[in-house]
Amino acid sequence: MGRIIKRFIFWLVFSFPFICYSQHTDNLSKDEKAAFGRLDNGLHYILQPTVGVRTEYRLVLNVGSLQEREDERAYAHFLEHAVFNHAIDFPNRKIIDTLSNLGYQFGRDINAYTTYDRTVFSLSILDSSLEKLSLNILLNILSKAVFRDEDIEKEKNIVFQEIKDYKQQIFSEQKLLASSYENRLPIGQIKDVELIEIPKLISFYRNWYRPDLATLIITGKLDTAQTILNINKTFGKVFTPNRTVQRQQNYYSFNPVSDGKLYKNKDSSLKVNKLEIIRFTESGLMKTKQDFRRHLVEDLYKKYLVSKLRQANTMIQYESIWYLPHQNENALTIKSMSEDEQINRLQSAASVIGAINRQGIAVDDLEIIKKDFLKHYPSNAYPIEAKNLADAYVDEVAVGHNYLSKTHKDSLTLHFLSQINQEDINREHNKIWFLNKKNVSYFFEYNSALFDINASVLDSIWNTALNSPLLLSNLTEKKENHTSKLIFNWNELPKVKHDGNGLSAILEESFYAGIGVTEFVLKNGIRLAVKPIPNVKETIFSFTVKAGLNQLLESEYPYYQDASYFIGESKISGLSTDIYNSMLIERGLSILTYMSEDATTLNAVSLEGNLEDLYELTFRKLYAYSMPVEDFETYRKEQIQQLGREQLSSPFDQYSSMRLKKRISFYQSGDPSFEYRLKTKEDWAKVNLNNMFRLFDLSARNLDSAYILISGNVNIEEARNNFVDYFSHLKADSLSIAKGVFRKSQTVSIQNNNPELADSTRVEAAIVFLCQMNGTLKDNVILNIINSLINAEFLSFSREQEGLSYSPYTNLNMMGSKKPKASITIGFSTEKRNLERMEKYSIELIKRICNNTISKAKLKSLKNTIVNNKKSHLAMATPQMWVEQLRTYYLRYGTISSLEKYEVLLNSITASDIQLAAKRLLSEKNYKLFYEPYD
């Protein structure tokens, strides 16, 4: 035993060679880059600069629904809404309007939320020079709000809509029974909101919105010293009432009462029944190093129990999550299609639990679990984003769950992991399953057509199986095959790389400084765009060509519906399926091929950023592949056997949002083959794998519209050299696509089959306006402006003025490149009785945009919104997002120069341009209203 432990400690130390731990204090270390402070009036602040362009602000108030008296139900959440309406420095909703005029969006950049234990206001700002404005806005929320009758009545309607939209998780009420959280849902109930009175609201505001209960968190782009001065100047004179209120009052407020009851939820749509066995156990908040150790024990125990359940083939899931402050929800989930199956699985789970209790964890098992824990331990050293850091500090402020930097986590993990022993794991097991045997509740989601259960039977099965004579065997450590990587080498295959063409094969080289992208163009027409991103490990490689299913005749299309799948299932010529799959796993590679209406795309990923692997894999999948003949024949045979049988509906069709999205997509595409089904053996005889790959070959040889996009961990010079070596020798030969073969577009009459519903039914709805566009970048920019205008106007009407919907939205959808289409969707939820008003307003809004010139101030605000949207997107862009963005511009405009010049074009557009384009692009007659009952 001693030899095993020594071996593990030796291995552990060399797995974390750069961190150390200090035993001088049990307090958790603060991040050295953070500044913590407190003003004389009691206001706390936490500041921490991070890499990036954004500055994140959080005003955290230690008040939630738990602090409400019986006559103050729903006040905390309602107050979070009401403070935006009118303030001394920002009257008449100027908080929202001021930031909106600068291009910031309510909901994304300006938001707030209320929980049981906190109220949080957040600002996400791209311009660090707006710090004083941001602080003044938060000051007005904290201490300068004014409550007027007209604002309160209007806000009640908005909150009513929010409550109607709220979807509470199944069994959440039952889990809170007999605890202080029972009947304290933060959002409140309509009956409580109706009773809200202004004098009581003012009293609640004065009692809880005060500096000594507030913490200001600022992360991101900031100058710490200057920000502290600005905080003192802005908040230093705010008055604090004499009444003493405990800041940290919610830490140990959740004390669930588990009584062995069975709670049921009947659902006839379920294909399998699901039983959850739940036990709540205390879990200390992260305040000290010993707290960290306890959390580490919990993580190891969870991994151990999951391994034992899997080893015993129980088919049962185990999960332990932080449910509410200082409590873990430990859940065994059993899914079964029959009563016998459920009994067997329940017995298996209880047998494993009982055996662990009798035998305890073996020392070898503990070593394996620790090694596996470290194997999957996050190894990246990427800087934390400002938003995530700010939200982590919110938890620290609200419930005392301290934020730890990755450096400190690594240090504590190294120190404590070697100390944790068998007794720690055994004690955790006993605490969860045996310390209080009454601490259990059963939650059953079931379809009665399958089977039903009762609580007494569950208890009997469980208690009997706990004592069954199961003997657990030790876990087996998965041995790494250190020679496996030698099985395959690209050099074993026929060579596809053509060295020696040199840089003379490059026709053009350009650098787009505004977006940090370098572009190369070969003499054969293929373009390469490279976007390096610092601090990422993976690399995304995408080959895309502007040719897809639109090369087919209308009559041919149904026989190619599965082409994308089978082309994606191709392997590399010369490799068996097993070696091909092993090679992908060993080298951390993946690749996805798909054909859309107007493009063929191969997306490859290297987790290690290996460019040679990406070039080899993609090139061979393009030009040296093997077809999946056996898979295709098996699939076609199965489809023929299914002919005449009732087609099963998709499980997603039970959700209103999915049904709605499907119907809208059908309408937007305007394509009768959108859901064409082959109905006879003769139809399936025409489905030919060779024809599918012939189409793929035609696309891949269309070099003058082929683009390679690389983003992530990439060296530009290496990408360029490989680009030349692999692709410069290609020529658009006899396989080139014949011009003018593209399918004819067809106008389709779509039935508006909305369901018959009562006027009081809440519905999820969408009004879709089709747009007639010519595919230019200017049309794209103008449609973005119009979409932003519709969003602002419809939000103002349906939410702020009429209180008909809580969170309406608009979405601009661009489709196609050869024959581009576009649509603007206005989405919302409301009662069916309101649909006519909202439809009528939408039509009037489109007419107004087409017939009137918008003001210069409004146009400036809309442009600011679009610029901020673009900056936000690019600032947060991952390699995958960059590849998708570049691909969109290449396919739509044939160049990425327009992406860099986007703001120049945006700023050149006038109000007259928008009105003229709106008349051409939009029509109040070219739309459909869709709705489905709200789930």
Side-chain angles (χ1 to χ4, degrees):
M1 183 184 297
R3 188 166 61 251
I4 291 174
I5 294 173
K6 287 177 182 177
R7 187 169 71 244
F8 173 74
I9 293 173
F10 174 84
W11 173 80
L12 175 63
V13 168
F14 282 90
S15 299
F16 287 78
F18 305 113
I19 49 182
C20 59
Y21 168 77
S22 171
Q23 302 187 52
H24 296 311
T25 175
D26 194 45
N27 295 327
L28 288 173
S29 302
K30 299 294 186 183
D31 196 306
E32 56 274 7
K33 295 184 289 294
F36 295 77
R38 178 181 179 277
L39 303 188
D40 291 341
N41 57 14
L43 182 123
H44 289 59
Y45 61 80
I46 303 173
L47 314 176
Q48 185 166 330
T50 62
V51 177
V53 298
R54 281 189 175 274
T55 307
E56 296 285 339
Y57 297 83
R58 303 289 185 272
L59 177 64
V60 185
L61 293 154
N62 285 57
V63 57
S65 59
L66 291 180
Q67 280 64 59
E68 298 166 347
R69 299 193 307 259
E70 286 301 311
D71 62 342
E72 294 174 336
R73 293 288 181 90
Y75 272 62
H77 173 241
F78 188 85
L79 187 56
E80 167 227 307
H81 279 251
V83 293
F84 285 105
N85 284 313
H86 196 81
I88 292 173
D89 298 332
F90 298 93
N92 301 316
R93 206 169 170 77
K94 289 296 183 185
I95 288 177
I96 303 300
D97 292 345
T98 300
L99 290 172
S100 295
N101 289 337
L102 294 170
Y104 295 98
Q105 289 186 321
F106 186 63
R108 186 193 68 188
D109 306 310
I110 319 147
N111 214 334
Y113 67 89
T114 301
T115 71
Y116 293 103
D117 49 41
R118 72 198 74 175
T119 302
V120 182
F121 297 89
S122 64
L123 302 176
S124 184
I125 305 297
L126 281 166
D127 185 352
S128 58
S129 68
L130 297 178
E131 181 174 279
K132 291 183 178 179
L133 172 63
S134 301
L135 292 175
N136 193 32
I137 287 172
L138 296 176
L139 169 69
N140 276 260
I141 288 172
L142 176 64
S143 63
K144 294 188 175 183
V146 177
F147 306 104
R148 304 178 301 183
D149 288 337
E150 61 271 28
D151 296 329
I152 299 305
E153 292 309 308
K154 180 205 71 173
E155 204 62 45
K156 284 183 179 181
N157 289 327
I158 294 172
V159 175
F160 292 159
Q161 294 297 329
E162 183 182 6
I163 293 171
K164 291 174 183 177
D165 277 354
Y166 180 73
K167 298 178 181 179
Q168 192 168 1
Q169 289 185 334
I170 296 174
F171 299 129
S172 58
E173 287 186 19
Q174 289 85 346
K175 291 177 183 180
L176 302 177
L177 288 176
S179 76
S180 56
Y181 285 66
E182 185 180 7
N183 299 321
R184 291 290 180 177
L185 195 65
I187 196 171
Q189 298 182 48
I190 289 177
K191 63 179 183 179
D192 297 321
V193 176
E194 288 174 338
L195 298 175
I196 288 176
E197 302 170 356
I198 288 182
K200 286 185 179 179
L201 192 67
I202 293 172
S203 176
F204 193 88
Y205 179 66
R206 289 174 178 171
N207 284 338
W208 295 105
Y209 280 53
R210 38 191 282 175
D212 56 330
L213 294 180
T215 303
L216 184 62
I217 300 167
I218 307 177
T219 61
K221 191 174 182 181
L222 64 110
D223 178 333
T224 301
Q226 184 59 52
T227 300
I228 291 174
L229 291 174
N230 290 338
I231 290 172
N232 274 278
K233 185 175 181 180
T234 305
F235 290 90
K237 296 182 180 179
V238 178
F239 173 71
T240 298
N242 292 326
R243 187 174 69 88
T244 301
V245 178
Q246 186 76 23
R247 281 178 68 91
Q248 301 174 349
Q249 55 206 305
N250 303 312
Y251 286 0
Y252 305 104
S253 53
F254 179 51
N255 296 292
V257 177
S258 300
D259 50 12
K261 286 186 178 179
L262 171 64
Y263 301 95
K264 295 183 179 183
N265 182 67
K266 191 173 181 179
D267 185 345
S268 60
S269 69
L270 294 176
K271 306 299 182 186
V272 295
N273 288 356
K274 183 174 79 170
L275 172 68
E276 284 187 303
I277 304 170
I278 291 180
R279 292 173 180 264
F280 286 103
T281 54
E282 283 197 21
S283 175
L285 297 164
M286 196 82 76
K287 292 183 177 182
T288 67
K289 290 172 184 173
Q290 289 305 311
D291 292 333
F292 183 91
R293 186 184 189 280
R294 281 192 292 272
H295 282 262
L296 193 55
V297 170
E298 290 170 1
D299 290 340
L300 291 173
Y301 172 75
K302 174 183 173 182
K303 186 173 285 290
Y304 171 67
L305 181 55
V306 167
S307 298
K308 285 299 182 183
L309 290 169
R310 188 182 298 123
Q311 184 186 45
N313 273 330
T314 62
M315 305 296 289
I316 290 174
Q317 295 175 315
Y318 172 68
E319 188 66 58
S320 179
I321 60 171
W322 188 37
Y323 188 74
L324 282 169
H326 88 286
Q327 289 283 339
N328 280 349
E329 178 188 278
N330 307 281
L332 288 171
T333 302
I334 304 173
K335 295 182 180 180
S336 312
M337 297 185 68
S338 70
E339 186 174 8
D340 286 345
E341 187 176 57
Q342 177 163 276
I343 290 173
N344 289 335
R345 291 179 177 175
L346 182 61
Q347 288 172 333
S348 296
S351 297
V352 171
I353 297 293
I356 293 174
N357 188 56
R358 292 189 300 274
Q359 297 172 215
I361 184 172
V363 66
D364 287 356
D365 281 3
L366 181 56
E367 180 181 355
I368 289 171
I369 292 299
K370 288 182 178 181
K371 282 188 176 183
D372 191 60
F373 176 84
L374 286 175
K375 183 179 178 180
H376 296 93
Y377 188 81
S379 59
N380 69 71
Y382 305 156
I384 187 170
E385 292 183 0
K387 179 183 183 302
N388 296 335
L389 179 60
D391 291 338
Y393 277 128
V394 169
D395 274 342
E396 179 169 330
V397 169
V399 293
H401 193 80
N402 286 13
Y403 163 72
L404 275 177
S405 69
K406 186 171 188 310
T407 301
H408 292 137
K409 283 181 183 178
D410 291 348
S411 175
L412 291 169
T413 300
L414 170 64
H415 177 74
F416 285 125
L417 199 58
S418 60
Q419 293 183 2
I420 292 172
N421 55 38
Q422 295 164 275
E423 186 180 347
D424 292 314
I425 303 300
N426 294 335
R427 188 185 301 114
E428 184 68 18
H429 182 75
N430 182 69
K431 180 182 77 173
I432 295 174
W433 303 106
F434 295 94
L435 192 60
N436 178 7
K437 292 189 177 182
K438 292 183 178 180
N439 171 29
V440 62
S441 294
Y442 302 104
F443 299 94
F444 188 46
E445 294 178 62
Y446 73 108
N447 182 341
S448 59
L450 296 174
F451 65 93
D452 199 352
I453 57 174
N454 63 69
S456 60
V457 171
L458 290 176
D459 278 334
S460 176
I461 294 170
W462 179 267
N463 291 326
T464 302
L466 278 178
N467 299 308
S468 64
L470 176 67
L471 183 63
L472 295 174
S473 58
N474 286 357
L475 297 174
T476 303
E477 184 175 4
K478 293 181 180 178
K479 300 293 183 182
E480 291 189 19
N481 187 348
H482 297 289
T483 63
S484 63
K485 295 182 191 274
L486 301 177
I487 292 176
F488 171 79
N489 191 298
W490 294 114
N491 294 331
E492 297 175 8
L493 297 174
K495 189 175 181 180
V496 294
K497 185 177 182 180
H498 289 65
D499 302 320
N501 286 337
L503 299 184
S504 60
I506 294 178
L507 182 66
E508 297 176 25
E509 177 179 345
S510 307
F511 177 65
Y512 299 98
I515 54 177
V517 174
T518 303
E519 181 188 61
F520 303 95
V521 185
L522 295 178
K523 290 180 180 179
N524 59 14
I526 305 178
R527 294 174 182 265
L528 166 69
V530 185
K531 170 63 179 178
I533 297 181
N535 300 317
V536 299
K537 196 173 182 180
E538 74 274 13
T539 302
I540 309 292
F541 183 108
S542 181
F543 176 95
T544 193
V545 62
K546 197 173 183 178
L549 297 173
N550 53 11
Q551 297 165 90
L552 300 168
L553 298 173
E554 195 75 57
S555 59
E556 296 174 316
Y557 183 86
Y559 310 109
Y560 289 79
Q561 290 182 86
D562 299 309
S564 198
Y565 171 77
F566 286 108
I567 290 168
E569 286 297 295
S570 69
K571 305 300 185 288
I572 289 176
S573 181
L575 293 182
S576 69
T577 298
D578 288 343
I579 293 179
Y580 173 77
N581 291 333
S582 296
M583 177 271 294
L584 293 179
I585 294 171
E586 290 167 2
R587 293 174 177 264
L589 297 172
S590 62
I591 188 164
L592 174 68
T593 306
Y594 56 92
M595 296 188 77
S596 63
E597 179 72 10
D598 57 358
T600 300
T601 300
L602 285 79
N603 274 345
V605 180
S606 170
L607 298 178
E608 301 298 325
N610 190 314
L611 269 181
E612 182 187 18
D613 280 348
L614 290 169
Y615 272 100
E616 283 279 351
L617 177 62
T618 306
F619 189 92
R620 292 178 187 277
K621 287 277 282 189
L622 281 165
Y623 306 111
Y625 56 78
S626 61
M627 295 188 294
V629 178
E630 291 184 10
D631 289 348
F632 173 76
E633 292 300 335
T634 300
Y635 172 76
R636 183 164 61 174
K637 185 178 180 179
E638 289 174 348
Q639 294 303 309
I640 291 173
Q641 291 175 346
Q642 292 291 328
L643 293 174
R645 298 180 185 177
E646 182 180 353
Q647 294 287 341
L648 295 176
S649 61
S650 166
F652 294 109
D653 286 345
Q654 64 180 290
Y655 301 109
S656 63
S657 57
M658 298 303 294
R659 293 195 302 271
L660 195 65
K661 185 180 291 186
K662 188 175 180 180
R663 292 173 58 202
I664 291 170
S665 295
F666 192 10
Y667 177 62
Q668 290 169 328
S669 69
D671 193 339
S673 55
F674 186 74
E675 282 195 317
Y676 187 91
R677 283 177 177 163
L678 302 178
K679 300 177 181 178
T680 67
K681 289 183 180 180
E682 289 72 23
D683 282 341
W684 278 103
K686 297 176 185 178
V687 180
N688 186 289
L689 188 66
N690 288 319
N691 288 345
M692 293 179 185
F693 277 88
R694 170 71 175 175
L695 178 66
F696 178 66
D697 291 339
L698 289 172
S699 302
R701 295 285 181 175
N702 195 30
L703 303 184
D704 58 352
S705 64
Y707 311 98
I708 294 175
L709 318 165
I710 305 177
S711 183
N713 177 17
V714 56
N715 177 278
I716 295 174
E717 184 178 348
E718 183 185 1
R720 177 200 63 193
N721 293 343
N722 278 299
F723 178 48
V724 171
D725 291 343
Y726 282 92
F727 286 92
S728 63
H729 71 284
L730 294 177
K731 294 181 180 179
D733 55 19
S734 57
L735 289 175
S736 295
I737 298 171
K739 303 299 180 184
V741 185
F742 302 103
R743 293 192 295 131
K744 297 178 182 178
S745 61
Q746 185 171 342
T747 302
V748 184
S749 176
I750 308 296
Q751 290 187 348
N752 194 351
N753 52 341
N754 290 317
E756 292 291 333
L757 301 170
D759 283 348
S760 59
T761 305
R762 192 156 189 84
V763 296
E764 191 165 356
I767 304 171
V768 184
F769 289 90
L770 299 182
C771 308
Q772 307 298 321
M773 64 179 299
N774 58 26
T776 64
L777 179 62
K778 188 170 183 178
D779 269 6
N780 182 322
V781 175
I782 289 175
L783 277 173
N784 270 284
I785 294 174
I786 291 172
N787 181 64
S788 294
L789 177 59
I790 293 173
N791 185 70
E793 295 294 318
F794 193 84
L795 176 72
S796 176
F797 164 78
S798 64
R799 175 187 158 110
E800 304 304 330
Q801 296 175 29
E802 302 296 328
L804 301 175
S805 180
Y806 173 64
S807 54
Y809 65 91
T810 61
N811 178 52
L812 172 61
N813 184 39
M814 313 283 286
M815 298 175 292
S817 55
K818 287 285 184 182
K819 294 184 177 180
K821 305 173 184 176
S823 63
I824 293 176
T825 300
I826 304 172
F828 52 91
S829 56
T830 189
E831 277 71 44
K832 182 177 177 288
R833 66 170 68 91
N834 299 326
L835 288 177
E836 186 176 350
R837 289 174 64 192
M838 299 175 90
E839 181 180 10
K840 182 179 178 181
Y841 178 81
S842 300
I843 295 170
E844 292 172 350
L845 178 57
I846 295 297
K847 287 181 180 178
R848 194 160 70 243
I849 292 171
C850 292
N851 298 325
N852 297 283
T853 304
I854 61 176
S855 68
K856 290 182 178 179
K858 188 65 178 177
L859 179 57
K860 183 179 179 181
S861 173
L862 293 170
K863 288 181 177 180
N864 285 338
T865 299
I866 293 171
V867 169
N868 275 357
N869 289 344
K870 180 170 175 286
K871 286 181 178 178
S872 296
H873 180 80
L874 296 182
M876 297 184 295
T878 62
Q880 184 65 48
M881 291 169 67
W882 266 107
V883 163
E884 291 173 0
Q885 181 89 306
L886 294 170
R887 183 193 304 122
T888 297
Y889 273 77
Y890 271 130
L891 291 177
R892 197 166 285 159
Y893 311 114
T895 176
I896 56 172
S897 61
S898 52
L899 178 59
E900 186 180 48
K901 297 174 182 176
Y902 190 96
E903 285 188 41
V904 175
L905 179 57
L906 175 67
N907 290 327
S908 70
I909 290 173
T910 65
S912 297
D913 291 334
I914 294 172
Q915 185 184 354
L916 290 172
K919 289 181 178 179
R920 174 171 54 83
L921 295 168
L922 289 168
S923 168
E924 75 276 7
K925 297 179 180 179
N926 197 13
Y927 81 96
K928 291 285 184 184
L929 167 66
F930 300 89
Y931 60 84
E932 291 283 346
Y934 191 81
D935 289 334

